[in-house]
Amino acid sequence: VLIVAAPLFILLWNRNRRERWSRLQVLEAIFFAALLAYVALVVFDGVAFPKHDRFPLEFLCVPPIIWIAYRFGQRATAAAVFLLTAIALWGTLHRFGPFAVPNSNVSMLLMDAFVGVITIMGLILAAVVSERQEGEVALLQALGSLETRVQERTISLASTVADLKAEVSLRKRTEHSLRESQERLSLMIEHVKDYAIIMLDPDGRVVSWNTGAERIKGYSAA
């Protein structure tokens, strides 16, 4: 069992080495590791019951494994299974626990089956929880990226709108200035009486005929 559990333990603990726990998580992990060790000792090493009493209490090891898998992931689950396997193996070899039957081969087979089921259950649960957490992290990152892009687009749109407003305002001022200039020019031309000021279109038609032209040429603007 240890030959199988040790490589699994080493393999999983070499993954995600950058992961850091908070102080509260460390305390929680220590508590549940101690709880699992105590439960395993009660079940497999005769701490609470005499050697000849073999009560089927192995199910007591399931809740701590489930909680560790749910809260701490595959690495901690592998460590918990390794600890449980070591205690269960030692107790079964010394004829303690629910798997200590007269036939040693049967004892080891029962213990192997128990440890295998616990390992598969814990690691699958830890993998599902890990995938869910990774999905949540990816979703939060995607939402953050989307919010950043929306903010960038909003800023760009606001800048474009401001530029358009400035351009429209400049155009209005230009048109107003041009209209005022045209009005001043029209007034100036209209009040000139000593000179005939005439404006023609490209086809040679008269489009402007001031007072001076009327006086000098003798024709009214009409």
Side-chain angles (χ1 to χ4, degrees), residues 162-175:
D163 293 340
L164 289 174
K165 287 182 177 180
E167 184 177 354
V168 170
S169 177
L170 178 61
R171 182 173 297 179
K172 287 182 178 180
R173 289 197 300 270
T174 303
E175 291 176 351

Side-chain angles (χ1 to χ4, degrees), residues 119 133 145 160 171 209:
T119 302
Q133 291 175 348
S145 177
T160 303
R171 182 173 297 179
W209 184 270

